[in-house]
PDB file of all heavy atoms in Angstrom:
ATOM      1  N   THR A 194      46.318-164.591  85.851  1.00  0.00           N
ATOM      2  CA  THR A 194      46.395-163.437  84.944  1.00  0.00           C
ATOM      3  C   THR A 194      46.827-162.222  85.766  1.00  0.00           C
ATOM      4  O   THR A 194      46.968-162.305  86.993  1.00  0.00           O
ATOM      5  CB  THR A 194      44.995-163.117  84.340  1.00  0.00           C
ATOM      6  OG1 THR A 194      44.177-162.582  85.412  1.00  0.00           O
ATOM      7  CG2 THR A 194      44.350-164.349  83.754  1.00  0.00           C
ATOM      8  N   LEU A 195      47.011-161.088  85.108  1.00  0.00           N
ATOM      9  CA  LEU A 195      47.411-159.868  85.839  1.00  0.00           C
ATOM     10  C   LEU A 195      46.331-159.442  86.825  1.00  0.00           C
ATOM     11  O   LEU A 195      46.594-158.695  87.757  1.00  0.00           O
ATOM     12  CB  LEU A 195      47.712-158.741  84.847  1.00  0.00           C
ATOM     13  CG  LEU A 195      49.066-158.852  84.125  1.00  0.00           C
ATOM     14  CD1 LEU A 195      49.228-157.723  83.110  1.00  0.00           C
ATOM     15  CD2 LEU A 195      50.215-158.839  85.136  1.00  0.00           C
ATOM     16  N   ASP A 196      45.116-159.964  86.691  1.00  0.00           N
ATOM     17  CA  ASP A 196      44.074-159.654  87.682  1.00  0.00           C
ATOM     18  C   ASP A 196      44.389-160.311  89.029  1.00  0.00           C
ATOM     19  O   ASP A 196      43.814-159.959  90.053  1.00  0.00           O
ATOM     20  CB  ASP A 196      42.695-160.158  87.206  1.00  0.00           C
ATOM     21  CG  ASP A 196      42.234-159.419  85.954  1.00  0.00           C
ATOM     22  OD1 ASP A 196      42.767-158.317  85.699  1.00  0.00           O
ATOM     23  OD2 ASP A 196      41.355-159.945  85.238  1.00  0.00           O
ATOM     24  N   ASP A 197      45.325-161.275  89.024  1.00  0.00           N
ATOM     25  CA  ASP A 197      45.624-162.025  90.260  1.00  0.00           C
ATOM     26  C   ASP A 197      46.872-161.505  90.971  1.00  0.00           C
ATOM     27  O   ASP A 197      47.458-162.196  91.815  1.00  0.00           O
ATOM     28  CB  ASP A 197      45.844-163.519  89.933  1.00  0.00           C
ATOM     29  CG  ASP A 197      44.624-164.150  89.287  1.00  0.00           C
ATOM     30  OD1 ASP A 197      43.506-163.931  89.813  1.00  0.00           O
ATOM     31  OD2 ASP A 197      44.776-164.811  88.243  1.00  0.00           O
ATOM     32  N   VAL A 198      47.306-160.280  90.619  1.00  0.00           N
ATOM     33  CA  VAL A 198      48.567-159.782  91.180  1.00  0.00           C
ATOM     34  C   VAL A 198      48.563-159.840  92.709  1.00  0.00           C
ATOM     35  O   VAL A 198      49.553-160.228  93.341  1.00  0.00           O
ATOM     36  CB  VAL A 198      48.834-158.333  90.709  1.00  0.00           C
ATOM     37  CG1 VAL A 198      50.030-157.735  91.455  1.00  0.00           C
ATOM     38  CG2 VAL A 198      49.121-158.319  89.218  1.00  0.00           C
ATOM     39  N   ALA A 199      47.425-159.507  93.323  1.00  0.00           N
ATOM     40  CA  ALA A 199      47.374-159.466  94.799  1.00  0.00           C
ATOM     41  C   ALA A 199      47.722-160.839  95.387  1.00  0.00           C
ATOM     42  O   ALA A 199      48.498-160.941  96.345  1.00  0.00           O
ATOM     43  CB  ALA A 199      45.988-159.023  95.247  1.00  0.00           C
ATOM     44  N   ILE A 200      47.183-161.895  94.775  1.00  0.00           N
ATOM     45  CA  ILE A 200      47.475-163.252  95.288  1.00  0.00           C
ATOM     46  C   ILE A 200      48.953-163.563  95.089  1.00  0.00           C
ATOM     47  O   ILE A 200      49.641-164.040  95.999  1.00  0.00           O
ATOM     48  CB  ILE A 200      46.618-164.298  94.541  1.00  0.00           C
ATOM     49  CG1 ILE A 200      45.139-164.046  94.774  1.00  0.00           C
ATOM     50  CG2 ILE A 200      47.002-165.714  94.962  1.00  0.00           C
ATOM     51  CD1 ILE A 200      44.236-164.873  93.876  1.00  0.00           C
ATOM     52  N   LEU A 201      49.455-163.250  93.910  1.00  0.00           N
ATOM     53  CA  LEU A 201      50.858-163.577  93.608  1.00  0.00           C
ATOM     54  C   LEU A 201      51.785-162.783  94.523  1.00  0.00           C
ATOM     55  O   LEU A 201      52.818-163.296  94.966  1.00  0.00           O
ATOM     56  CB  LEU A 201      51.135-163.321  92.131  1.00  0.00           C
ATOM     57  CG  LEU A 201      50.342-164.231  91.177  1.00  0.00           C
ATOM     58  CD1 LEU A 201      50.481-163.768  89.732  1.00  0.00           C
ATOM     59  CD2 LEU A 201      50.775-165.686  91.313  1.00  0.00           C
ATOM     60  N   ARG A 202      51.389-161.542  94.870  1.00  0.00           N
ATOM     61  CA  ARG A 202      52.215-160.757  95.779  1.00  0.00           C
ATOM     62  C   ARG A 202      52.218-161.362  97.176  1.00  0.00           C
ATOM     63  O   ARG A 202      53.196-161.258  97.918  1.00  0.00           O
ATOM     64  CB  ARG A 202      51.713-159.304  95.844  1.00  0.00           C
ATOM     65  CG  ARG A 202      52.142-158.460  94.635  1.00  0.00           C
ATOM     66  CD  ARG A 202      51.419-157.134  94.625  1.00  0.00           C
ATOM     67  NE  ARG A 202      51.719-156.342  95.824  1.00  0.00           N
ATOM     68  CZ  ARG A 202      52.768-155.515  95.917  1.00  0.00           C
ATOM     69  NH1 ARG A 202      53.617-155.414  94.903  1.00  0.00           N
ATOM     70  NH2 ARG A 202      52.993-154.813  97.008  1.00  0.00           N
ATOM     71  N   GLU A 203      51.138-162.053  97.548  1.00  0.00           N
ATOM     72  CA  GLU A 203      51.110-162.706  98.871  1.00  0.00           C
ATOM     73  C   GLU A 203      52.199-163.774  98.964  1.00  0.00           C
ATOM     74  O   GLU A 203      52.707-164.063 100.037  1.00  0.00           O
ATOM     75  CB  GLU A 203      49.748-163.374  99.091  1.00  0.00           C
ATOM     76  CG  GLU A 203      48.657-162.454  99.643  1.00  0.00           C
ATOM     77  CD  GLU A 203      47.509-163.274 100.222  1.00  0.00           C
ATOM     78  OE1 GLU A 203      47.700-163.920 101.269  1.00  0.00           O
ATOM     79  OE2 GLU A 203      46.445-163.279  99.567  1.00  0.00           O
ATOM     80  N   LEU A 204      52.584-164.336  97.816  1.00  0.00           N
ATOM     81  CA  LEU A 204      53.618-165.380  97.831  1.00  0.00           C
ATOM     82  C   LEU A 204      54.994-164.793  98.163  1.00  0.00           C
ATOM     83  O   LEU A 204      55.909-165.515  98.555  1.00  0.00           O
ATOM     84  CB  LEU A 204      53.657-166.112  96.482  1.00  0.00           C
ATOM     85  CG  LEU A 204      52.407-166.921  96.127  1.00  0.00           C
ATOM     86  CD1 LEU A 204      52.497-167.448  94.685  1.00  0.00           C
ATOM     87  CD2 LEU A 204      52.212-168.091  97.103  1.00  0.00           C
ATOM     88  N   ASP A 205      55.113-163.470  98.045  1.00  0.00           N
ATOM     89  CA  ASP A 205      56.406-162.832  98.336  1.00  0.00           C
ATOM     90  C   ASP A 205      56.858-163.059  99.773  1.00  0.00           C
ATOM     91  O   ASP A 205      58.045-162.979 100.082  1.00  0.00           O
ATOM     92  CB  ASP A 205      56.324-161.312  98.088  1.00  0.00           C
ATOM     93  CG  ASP A 205      56.674-160.970  96.635  1.00  0.00           C
ATOM     94  OD1 ASP A 205      57.269-161.829  95.951  1.00  0.00           O
ATOM     95  OD2 ASP A 205      56.365-159.847  96.197  1.00  0.00           O
ATOM     96  N   GLN A 206      55.930-163.376 100.670  1.00  0.00           N
ATOM     97  CA  GLN A 206      56.285-163.484 102.100  1.00  0.00           C
ATOM     98  C   GLN A 206      57.006-164.792 102.432  1.00  0.00           C
ATOM     99  O   GLN A 206      57.512-164.965 103.541  1.00  0.00           O
ATOM    100  CB  GLN A 206      55.028-163.368 102.959  1.00  0.00           C
ATOM    101  CG  GLN A 206      54.059-164.533 102.757  1.00  0.00           C
ATOM    102  CD  GLN A 206      52.757-164.340 103.517  1.00  0.00           C
ATOM    103  OE1 GLN A 206      52.752-164.274 104.750  1.00  0.00           O
ATOM    104  NE2 GLN A 206      51.653-164.229 102.770  1.00  0.00           N
ATOM    105  N   PHE A 207      57.054-165.737 101.458  1.00  0.00           N
ATOM    106  CA  PHE A 207      57.520-167.084 101.812  1.00  0.00           C
ATOM    107  C   PHE A 207      58.959-167.360 101.409  1.00  0.00           C
ATOM    108  O   PHE A 207      59.425-168.494 101.491  1.00  0.00           O
ATOM    109  CB  PHE A 207      56.581-168.131 101.190  1.00  0.00           C
ATOM    110  CG  PHE A 207      55.164-168.016 101.680  1.00  0.00           C
ATOM    111  CD1 PHE A 207      54.127-167.779 100.786  1.00  0.00           C
ATOM    112  CD2 PHE A 207      54.860-168.108 103.041  1.00  0.00           C
ATOM    113  CE1 PHE A 207      52.804-167.648 101.235  1.00  0.00           C
ATOM    114  CE2 PHE A 207      53.557-167.977 103.507  1.00  0.00           C
ATOM    115  CZ  PHE A 207      52.518-167.745 102.597  1.00  0.00           C
ATOM    116  N   GLY A 208      59.663-166.334 100.920  1.00  0.00           N
ATOM    117  CA  GLY A 208      61.073-166.543 100.573  1.00  0.00           C
ATOM    118  C   GLY A 208      61.258-167.620  99.513  1.00  0.00           C
ATOM    119  O   GLY A 208      62.146-168.477  99.617  1.00  0.00           O
ATOM    120  N   LEU A 209      60.430-167.585  98.481  1.00  0.00           N
ATOM    121  CA  LEU A 209      60.536-168.591  97.407  1.00  0.00           C
ATOM    122  C   LEU A 209      61.729-168.289  96.506  1.00  0.00           C
ATOM    123  O   LEU A 209      62.097-167.121  96.318  1.00  0.00           O
ATOM    124  CB  LEU A 209      59.243-168.591  96.568  1.00  0.00           C
ATOM    125  CG  LEU A 209      57.944-168.927  97.323  1.00  0.00           C
ATOM    126  CD1 LEU A 209      56.749-168.785  96.379  1.00  0.00           C
ATOM    127  CD2 LEU A 209      58.003-170.312  97.933  1.00  0.00           C
ATOM    128  N   LEU A 210      62.317-169.349  95.950  1.00  0.00           N
ATOM    129  CA  LEU A 210      63.415-169.164  94.994  1.00  0.00           C
ATOM    130  C   LEU A 210      62.902-168.464  93.734  1.00  0.00           C
ATOM    131  O   LEU A 210      63.611-167.667  93.119  1.00  0.00           O
ATOM    132  CB  LEU A 210      64.001-170.535  94.603  1.00  0.00           C
ATOM    133  CG  LEU A 210      64.835-171.284  95.627  1.00  0.00           C
ATOM    134  CD1 LEU A 210      65.114-172.700  95.107  1.00  0.00           C
ATOM    135  CD2 LEU A 210      66.148-170.545  95.903  1.00  0.00           C
TER     136      LEU A 210
END
Side-chain angles (χ1 to χ4, degrees):
T194 70
L195 283 177
D196 295 340
D197 300 313
V198 171
I200 298 170
L201 295 170
R202 282 170 61 87
E203 275 197 70
L204 295 173
D205 271 343
Q206 66 185 297
F207 299 120
L209 300 176
L210 288 171

